[in-house]
Amino acid sequence: MTLQETTMEDRLALLERRLASLEDEREIVQLLTTYGALADSGSSAELAAIWTEDGVYDNDVISMTGRDQIFAMVESAAHQGYIARGCAHFNGPVSVHVDGDTAVAVSHSLMVLHEDGAFRINRATANHWQLRRTEEGWRATARVGRILDGNELAPLLLRTGALGQLPPDPAS
């Protein structure tokens, strides 16, 4: 069927679907890229709200389940110490694949620390996000991150996320 053969209603419906898809992607990118600013400002509640109530944040250092544990991580002495000395969490760019009310995203992140009057990269991480549309908007159900230090899981997280696939089980 050519463009001339489609009805105005069909063309409008197609445009509405395309716009909704772009809006979903934009909302997810906005949500995930706020992580750094919220982490570095100590905004515990706002950072925890990136996740669903039962969301999982699993990285090389700690695995947290639920907003309360994520909130507590930001409030911890270790994290507050990073803020007091100077730190920057960079998360992006983000690649998003939306499938109805679920999505997969992938990103790199850097944690930069201020030490001895200079800044140094403390860690570079591969991040695989799983998200769900909720009444609050898009929220993360899982973020799995692994340091890019030769860890075999890190490139798999990047590859599966880039392809819009679920990650391998980090426990395996």
Side-chain angles (χ1 to χ4, degrees):
M1 181 180 310
T2 66
L3 186 60
Q4 292 80 16
E5 295 172 322
T6 60
T7 67
M8 186 60 73
E9 291 80 18
D10 290 341
R11 292 171 66 192
L12 184 57
L14 176 60
L15 284 172
E16 287 174 344
R17 285 193 304 275
R18 291 176 66 192
L19 179 59
S21 177
L22 289 170
E23 288 174 336
D24 286 340
E25 289 177 25
R26 169 103 170 103
E27 182 180 342
I28 292 167
V29 168
Q30 184 68 25
L31 179 74
L32 302 186
T33 57
T34 63
Y35 178 89
L38 297 173
D40 297 336
S41 63
S43 301
S44 309
E46 294 84 354
L47 185 133
I50 290 172
W51 279 265
T52 57
E53 287 291 340
D54 60 349
V56 174
Y57 182 4
D58 174 13
N59 65 41
D60 291 297
V61 179
I62 187 172
S63 182
M64 299 158 278
T65 300
R67 289 178 175 168
D68 291 344
Q69 289 185 4
I70 296 167
F71 180 97
M73 179 270 301
V74 177
E75 293 292 316
S76 71
H79 189 87
Q80 292 299 311
Y82 292 141
I83 294 170
R85 290 186 305 278
C87 68
H89 291 78
F90 292 95
N91 188 28
V94 178
S95 176
V96 178
H97 299 270
V98 176
D99 184 13
D101 289 335
T102 63
V104 168
V106 66
S107 65
H108 289 84
S109 62
L110 298 175
M111 182 179 179
V112 180
L113 298 177
H114 183 255
E115 295 176 337
D116 300 322
F119 290 93
R120 70 172 181 82
I121 297 174
N122 183 58
R123 57 189 288 141
T125 305
N127 297 282
H128 188 289
W129 297 82
Q130 295 173 55
L131 302 106
R132 182 176 68 234
R133 187 189 321 268
T134 71
E135 291 181 6
E136 299 173 292
W138 284 96
R139 293 293 181 263
T141 57
R143 175 185 178 181
V144 177
R146 291 295 180 270
I147 296 175
L148 290 157
D149 64 354
N151 177 323
E152 293 181 13
L153 184 56
L156 289 173
L157 293 173
L158 294 173
R159 182 180 189 281
T160 55
L163 297 173
Q165 300 168 349
L166 295 179
D169 182 354
S172 61

